[in-house]
């Protein structure tokens, strides 16, 4: 267990331990699972192929504030609410806002909901890394395998009234905003 990878030395220790067959669990700041690979290579000078061989699974998660189901106000979503968000299969998207009541201590929120994206380094993903495919290709491949990006998950939660659009917007890639 490595608390957090923050420098070249801790990255090297984690990678070497993983390559020698140890299960290594750690944290690293990145925007998504592919960002972990990119961060290891660009910020901590880990060889890209070595990182792909050492990594087995990367989980990126965020906790978002869930609106109180007792007092939130829900209205049909407007075009301006949806303009930054990816298309979803939600037939009648809504927009919800927090209000506050005794049940939520007048905060408008009732707990949190986890949003998570997984990246598995199977032989196909390792081959993509070996072929020096860009991060966009790795992300596309991960979506093809059924793993939904954090921003898309947040969009669904916002359009169903579980969280606010403002909260969901925090999880979108900055290029979308």
């Amino acid at each position: 267990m490595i608390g957090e990878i923050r420098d070249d030395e801790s990255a090297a220790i984690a990678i070497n331990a993983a390559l020698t067959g140890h299960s290594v669990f750690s944290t690293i700041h990145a925007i998504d699972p592919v960002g972990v690979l990119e961060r290891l290579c660009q910020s901590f000078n880990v060889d890209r192929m070595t990182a792909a061989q050492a990594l087995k699974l990367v989980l990126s998660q965020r906790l978002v504030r869930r609106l109180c189901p007792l007092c939130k106000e829900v209205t049909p979503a407007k075009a301006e609410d949806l303009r930054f968000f990816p298309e979803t299969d939600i037939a009648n998207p809504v927009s919800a806002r927090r209000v506050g009541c005794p049940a939520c201590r007048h905060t408008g929120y009732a707990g949190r909901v986890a949003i998570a994206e997984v990246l598995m380094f199977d032989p196909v993903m390792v081959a993509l890394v070996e072929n020096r495919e860009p991060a966009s290709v790795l992300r596309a491949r991960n979506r093809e395998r059924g793993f939904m990006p954090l921003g898309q998950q947040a969009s669904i939660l916002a359009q169903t009234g579980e969280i606010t659009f403002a909260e969901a917007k925090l999880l979108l890639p900055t290029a979308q905003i």
Side-chain angles (χ1 to χ4, degrees):
M1 185 75 174
I2 299 174
E4 181 180 346
I5 296 175
R6 296 182 188 201
D7 54 34
D8 293 2
E9 183 180 5
S10 60
I13 290 168
I15 295 295
N16 288 333
L19 289 172
T20 58
H22 294 85
S23 291
V24 178
F25 297 89
S26 187
T27 61
I28 188 169
H29 290 275
I31 60 167
D32 65 4
V34 174
V36 169
L37 174 68
E38 298 301 312
R39 181 110 196 271
L40 281 171
C41 300
Q42 293 171 3
S43 298
F44 303 128
N45 300 313
V46 175
D47 174 68
R48 193 171 160 89
M49 191 58 207
T50 302
Q53 291 292 329
L55 294 170
K56 299 296 177 216
L57 181 130
V58 177
L59 172 76
S60 183
Q61 70 166 11
R62 303 292 187 281
L63 293 175
V64 294
R65 297 174 294 179
R66 177 177 287 164
L67 290 167
C68 177
L70 300 176
C71 65
K72 66 183 175 184
E73 287 184 359
V74 179
T75 58
K78 299 175 184 156
E80 67 185 50
D81 294 328
L82 302 171
R83 71 177 176 183
F84 295 113
F85 295 94
E87 294 275 331
T88 63
D89 291 334
I90 298 173
N92 299 307
V94 298
S95 176
R97 70 175 198 90
R98 68 187 183 106
V99 176
C101 67
C104 65
R105 297 183 179 165
H106 301 285
T107 63
Y109 297 108
R112 295 185 181 262
V113 61
I115 299 175
E117 182 180 355
V118 174
L119 174 63
M120 296 181 342
F121 281 85
D122 61 2
V124 173
M125 191 60 71
V126 172
L128 291 172
V129 173
E130 189 176 74
N131 292 335
R132 304 217 177 274
E133 296 292 344
S136 60
V137 171
L138 302 181
R139 287 183 180 101
R141 173 66 182 137
N142 208 36
R143 281 190 302 275
E144 288 170 10
R145 294 190 309 182
F147 293 103
M148 193 181 300
L150 297 171
Q152 188 174 358
Q153 293 177 54
S155 177
I156 291 169
L157 288 173
Q159 292 180 45
T160 56
E162 288 290 312
I163 67 175
T164 65
F165 277 100
E167 187 93 5
K169 195 172 177 182
L170 297 173
L171 296 174
L172 293 178
T174 53
Q176 264 183 254
I177 301 174

